[in-house]
Amino acid sequence: DLAALDLTLFEQLVSHAFQQRRKTLRNNLKKFCGTAHFEAADIDPSLRPEQLSPNDFVHLSNTVASLGNSPVS
């Protein structure tokens, strides 16, 4: 199991991901993630949030924390 580097960021990211469940991660997480974040985390931004595992969310959150929160496509 992974541990979130920034628990506040992790909580916000997961909360935003599920705000509009039928939208893709790309649309729900525009505020947090750009293409580079999804690529670095090896996560398909066209997926819906319910398709990710808890560890996927931790990994994405840690990637955003490491790369910085600049959602430039």
Side-chain angles (χ1 to χ4, degrees):
D1 286 342
L2 297 173
L5 297 175
D6 182 336
L7 189 56
T8 301
L9 174 64
F10 173 74
E11 290 172 349
Q12 290 175 346
L13 189 134
V14 172
S15 175
H16 274 78
F18 283 97
Q19 278 185 343
Q20 295 181 336
R21 192 174 298 245
R22 296 304 303 157
K23 290 204 176 229
T24 63
L25 292 168
R26 179 185 299 113
N27 290 327
N28 280 348
L29 297 178
K30 286 180 195 175
K31 177 180 175 181
F32 296 94
C33 305
T35 303
H37 296 103
F38 288 112
E39 287 176 359
D42 196 29
I43 292 175
D44 182 352
S46 68
L47 293 174
R48 301 204 190 293
E50 62 270 16
Q51 294 174 283
L52 267 61
S53 71
N55 277 343
D56 289 335
F57 279 108
V58 172
H59 186 57
L60 181 59
S61 172
N62 288 348
T63 300
V64 172
S66 296
L67 295 179
N69 189 1
S70 294
V72 177
S73 65

